[in-house]
Amino acid sequence: MSVFESKVTVNKPAAQVYAFLADMNNHRQLMPDNIVDWTSTTDVASFNIQNITKLSLKIEERVADTLVRIIPAEKPPFDMELKWELSEVDGATQAAFTITASLSMMMKMLASGPLQKLVDEETTNLASMLS
């Protein structure tokens, strides 16, 4: 398994960060510019990664103020899990975003850079959106 992780501190209570992340409609604001054709509900989002693939993701598990776990809603190009873990420290929230993906050696060479960029961009965007 390949693991891509990024952490950020958001100057808001965990309940507020969780409320934002627990709604897939809000995730569009975290995505990079190469995400197109976005459609979403509270639980599911479908989109295209420009010139790469189409994905459909759904929230599989919500644990109030601490966890949002997202899995593919349809068969993806590779098995993956996306996870937001939150912990509150002195009124601010530590948010860790992890993508775990089952990548072949070839896919790892192709996808590692873009997946790491994705987790870094999403955490950066989360911090700036909720600051």
Side-chain angles (χ1 to χ4, degrees):
M1 285 295 220
S2 299
V3 178
F4 308 92
E5 185 175 47
S6 182
K7 295 180 179 178
V8 69
T9 300
V10 181
N11 291 319
K12 298 284 184 204
Q16 192 172 344
V17 177
Y18 171 81
F20 182 86
L21 292 172
D23 185 343
M24 285 300 282
N25 291 307
N26 294 329
H27 286 251
R28 175 65 189 112
Q29 300 167 67
L30 304 177
M31 294 288 177
D33 294 337
N34 68 337
I35 300 297
V36 295
D37 303 327
W38 178 275
T39 59
S40 60
T41 65
T42 303
D43 296 320
V44 179
S46 297
F47 54 92
N48 282 308
I49 304 170
Q50 221 166 21
N51 304 321
I52 299 176
T53 191
K54 178 178 175 57
L55 281 180
S56 183
L57 301 173
K58 67 179 179 182
I59 295 180
E60 173 75 0
E61 181 181 7
R62 291 178 177 94
V63 178
D65 305 343
T66 58
L67 175 75
V68 176
R69 195 165 66 85
I70 302 165
I71 61 169
E74 297 171 2
K75 183 69 182 145
F78 47 84
D79 289 335
M80 69 169 104
E81 176 186 82
L82 295 78
K83 190 166 49 177
W84 285 95
E85 294 175 285
L86 308 175
S87 59
E88 193 166 320
V89 181
D90 299 328
T93 302
Q94 299 286 322
F97 181 46
T98 308
I99 296 177
T100 307
S102 179
L103 301 174
S104 66
M105 192 55 95
M106 184 65 161
M107 281 300 287
K108 192 171 187 171
M109 288 174 24
L110 293 171
S112 287
L115 286 171
Q116 186 61 53
K117 182 176 185 270
L118 176 65
V119 294
D120 292 341
E121 196 159 337
E122 285 206 36
T123 54
T124 299
N125 290 345
L126 178 70
S128 62
M129 292 271 329
L130 296 181
S131 291

